[in-house]
Amino acid sequence: MPGDVVPLLVLLLCVQAVCGASQHKGCMPDPASAYRFTGAVCRLTYPAAAVLNEKTTEVIEAAFQHARYPKITGEKSILLIGTVKYGLDNLEIHNLSIGRSEFELRPPNSIGLKISNVSAVFRGTLNYGYGSWLMNIEHSIDFEIESHIDLGINPMLYCGAGKVAADTSDCYLDFHKLSLQLQGDSEPNWLKKLFTDFITFTVRLVIKGQICKEINKVANILSDFVQETAEAFLSDGSISMDIGVIAAPVITTNYIESYHKGLTNYNNISAVINESVFDPGQLTEDRMVYFWISDQVLNPMLAAAHQDQRFRFEVSGDEIIELFKKELVSPAPVFIEQCLGESVPPVLSVWSFSIPLLKTSPSGTSVQTEVSGMLQCGNPLTPTLYFQMGVEVVVTASYSEKKLFLHGNASEITILKAELQQNQQLLDAVQQEYLREAVEKIGIPKILSVLEPELTRLLDKQGANLFDIVNPEVLPQNGFVLIQMDFGFPQHLLVQFLQKTLE
């Protein structure tokens, strides 16, 4: 798998700075101390936060609708009347509408969020009774509470239990209107005034408490949802990725930045990162989102894919005949021409027999590996060609129109072994040069052309095609790859989240 391809599998990494358990029992005390353990970094700039904020009202609406309000009870002693007891049951929200949402990034670790002009009607049943030694009266009546509210939340991001969490305790509601309306006109005015004075005060406290509680609950659901979605996106079969955070995120007025482990897990064995080259100065603020991915993330992924036998390639039939029609400088050996000319087409199999080693530089991502190959001819009497080669390919990648494109050039091809198996006859220098040229001009381009749709398919399977990714750039640097892009709001994720929230 080419080196610049693997980073594209982390496109969900920074929808939120929310991940799994940390490499350490707790998070590092500050980001600077965590840099050398950092496998991946996400920087979400202010314009990206503004795009995400466009749908904040829908999340807040889910919090209002999902809130469950407890029974409210109280009593009051009234001269001549006695004790008035009341209970509000079955409180539900109706006719909810939410105005606009505003936000600001507040260094070093919080976000200011204000939701204006929330309008809602709360409906329920009022049970009340009053009396003295002379009389005792009990009634039940439906009621409505009309409200206009401004909501303010100042979530503080912190690192707790090995993941980024949001403390939403700084939550307040400003009630511009909260009026109680009893159904019917038969109730005495003094009773309406009593309930208006006392019940509305109680309802204010209950609504505030339950709404803020529900927002905190929704924040936790969102945290778990994004974590599960991201980790599912980065998993395929027996290979998975631990993207847990290792330090609290950093918030400036221009961006939110989170620091992730990026540890490959394969067969219950986890990779280790302790020599990362990350430095905040390697990222800019011109694009909406940045992903910084260390070579120390990519190499264990390649190793796991090799051990899982992902790097196997086979071509046969008319396709192999077409491939070898490419004109090469070196003359084709007689046994190759004989093999290709038989009535039953040959089968070419190629696989990696050593763990690929990846190294990124500004010129691209260099992948070094040793491969084995076998050309089996249709006639069993024709010798089978077996070869082992050391190959180094410099690969660059691009992503446009929801498709992945790979570009590669061989920088070194070394023949380690090449023989005809039946008689163990080694290839001579001329035959070896043909084989080397065929690998460079036929084999490598063919493998890249196969990887392009396969990796695009894998990205689509994980949902990358559902994102509105704008002008993505994959920039290889010394020891890391930087992916930068703009994007539109991932509406499909919001739909999935709201469905999960309202279950």
Side-chain angles (χ1 to χ4, degrees):
M1 185 180 295
D4 281 350
V5 177
V6 182
L8 293 173
L9 297 179
V10 296
L11 294 178
L12 285 184
L13 188 62
C14 195
V15 176
Q16 290 276 350
V18 181
C19 300
S22 171
Q23 175 177 333
H24 308 273
K25 291 184 179 180
C27 294
M28 302 293 287
D30 62 87
S33 64
Y35 289 165
R36 70 188 185 96
F37 302 106
T38 298
V41 177
C42 173
R43 177 174 290 185
L44 195 75
T45 62
Y46 188 92
V51 169
L52 297 177
N53 182 62
E54 292 174 3
K55 301 298 181 178
T56 297
T57 54
E58 295 186 43
V59 177
I60 297 300
E61 183 175 345
F64 269 84
Q65 292 178 334
H66 201 252
R68 296 296 179 263
Y69 303 95
K71 179 178 179 179
I72 303 172
T73 60
E75 62 178 49
K76 181 70 174 177
S77 296
I78 304 295
L79 185 64
L80 300 180
I81 298 297
T83 300
V84 178
K85 298 180 179 180
Y86 60 86
L88 277 71
D89 296 316
N90 306 319
L91 191 62
E92 296 179 350
I93 193 168
H94 297 268
N95 302 333
L96 176 66
S97 66
I98 297 180
R100 58 194 179 94
S101 170
E102 299 176 350
F103 81 100
E104 63 176 332
L105 303 180
R106 296 176 177 174
N109 58 5
S110 67
I111 302 171
L113 186 63
K114 183 177 181 180
I115 312 295
S116 301
N117 195 24
V118 179
S119 176
V121 174
F122 295 89
R123 293 174 183 167
T125 301
L126 171 63
N127 300 299
Y128 66 93
Y130 58 91
S132 64
W133 64 276
L134 291 175
M135 62 177 180
N136 189 53
I137 300 174
E138 293 185 358
H139 284 287
S140 178
I141 189 171
D142 293 334
F143 70 89
E144 288 187 354
I145 299 175
E146 185 178 355
S147 65
H148 291 166
I149 306 169
D150 285 344
L151 170 65
I153 318 166
N154 299 305
M156 182 182 70
L157 302 185
Y158 66 96
C159 194
K163 59 190 277 187
V164 171
D167 179 0
T168 61
S169 59
D170 187 2
C171 170
Y172 62 90
L173 278 70
D174 288 335
F175 291 87
H176 301 292
K177 180 179 182 180
L178 189 66
S179 59
L180 175 67
Q181 297 179 4
L182 302 178
Q183 301 301 308
D185 298 322
S186 61
E187 305 308 318
N189 289 332
W190 66 266
L191 185 63
K192 292 183 180 180
K193 185 177 187 309
L194 174 69
F195 289 147
T196 299
D197 291 344
F198 291 99
I199 296 179
T200 55
F201 174 78
T202 305
V203 167
R204 284 175 187 264
L205 298 179
V206 171
I207 292 177
K208 176 187 182 301
Q210 291 304 115
I211 293 298
C212 289
K213 178 181 177 181
E214 190 64 29
I215 287 173
N216 187 68
K217 179 181 176 181
V218 169
N220 289 328
I221 294 174
L222 178 60
S223 170
D224 293 339
F225 171 77
V226 173
Q227 175 186 341
E228 293 167 2
T229 303
E231 291 187 345
F233 184 89
L234 296 170
S235 300
D236 185 65
S238 57
I239 302 174
S240 63
M241 175 71 70
D242 182 353
I243 56 173
V245 296
I246 57 176
V250 168
I251 297 180
T252 73
T253 56
N254 297 324
Y255 61 81
I256 304 172
E257 187 166 271
S258 57
Y259 311 95
H260 303 259
K261 292 184 290 182
L263 302 179
T264 296
N265 293 311
Y266 179 69
N267 286 342
N268 296 321
I269 298 176
S270 179
V272 175
I273 295 176
N274 53 26
E275 296 180 355
S276 176
V277 297
F278 173 71
D279 183 273
Q282 295 162 345
L283 284 68
T284 63
E285 302 173 19
D286 301 323
R287 305 295 299 275
M288 291 176 68
V289 64
Y290 296 82
F291 298 109
W292 182 100
I293 302 103
S294 171
D295 284 0
Q296 293 189 48
V297 172
L298 306 180
N299 272 310
M301 290 185 70
L302 291 178
H306 166 77
Q307 294 165 2
D308 205 47
Q309 299 185 354
R310 303 289 184 98
F311 300 133
R312 302 186 71 87
F313 170 77
E314 186 174 287
V315 60
S316 60
D318 293 338
E319 185 178 7
I320 192 171
I321 303 298
E322 289 298 318
L323 282 176
F324 278 92
K325 285 182 178 180
K326 183 176 180 62
E327 186 174 345
L328 303 178
V329 175
S330 304
V334 173
F335 68 85
I336 293 289
E337 293 183 339
Q338 180 182 351
C339 188
L340 296 174
E342 293 173 350
S343 59
V344 178
V347 176
L348 175 64
S349 303
V350 180
W351 63 94
S352 62
F353 74 90
S354 71
I355 295 176
L357 176 63
L358 175 148
K359 185 176 182 181
T360 306
S361 68
S363 61
T365 297
S366 170
V367 181
Q368 297 177 339
T369 189
E370 295 178 346
V371 299
S372 294
M374 183 178 294
L375 180 65
Q376 295 176 294
C377 302
N379 187 340
L381 299 178
T382 305
T384 295
L385 171 64
Y386 174 79
F387 59 89
Q388 295 180 353
M389 310 187 77
V391 179
E392 180 176 356
V393 182
V394 178
V395 180
T396 57
S398 59
Y399 187 84
S400 64
E401 298 180 354
K402 303 187 184 300
K403 294 181 181 180
L404 179 66
F405 299 94
L406 304 176
H407 316 276
N409 294 302
S411 57
E412 184 177 349
I413 299 176
T414 303
I415 296 179
L416 305 176
K417 183 178 182 179
E419 65 177 16
L420 301 178
Q421 283 194 322
Q422 280 82 343
N423 53 19
Q424 294 185 336
Q425 176 184 343
L426 298 178
L427 270 60
D428 60 30
V430 175
Q431 293 170 332
Q432 288 189 21
E433 178 57 26
Y434 173 85
L435 180 59
R436 190 205 64 77
E437 186 181 0
V439 169
E440 177 184 1
K441 298 180 180 179
I442 299 175
I444 293 174
K446 177 59 179 177
I447 289 176
L448 292 179
S449 70
V450 170
L451 279 174
E452 285 179 342
E454 283 301 307
L455 290 173
T456 298
R457 181 192 61 80
L458 179 60
L459 290 170
D460 291 347
K461 174 185 173 183
Q462 308 296 57
N465 59 326
L466 300 177
F467 283 82
D468 182 15
I469 299 173
V470 180
N471 297 327
E473 296 179 273
V474 182
L475 306 176
Q477 302 295 326
N478 290 318
F480 66 93
V481 172
L482 183 63
I483 303 174
Q484 56 187 34
M485 70 189 76
D486 299 325
F487 67 91
F489 189 87
Q491 183 69 27
H492 68 287
L493 286 181
L494 178 64
V495 172
Q496 293 174 16
F497 166 68
L498 293 178
Q499 289 175 341
K500 182 179 181 68
T501 302
L502 297 175
E503 286 178 354

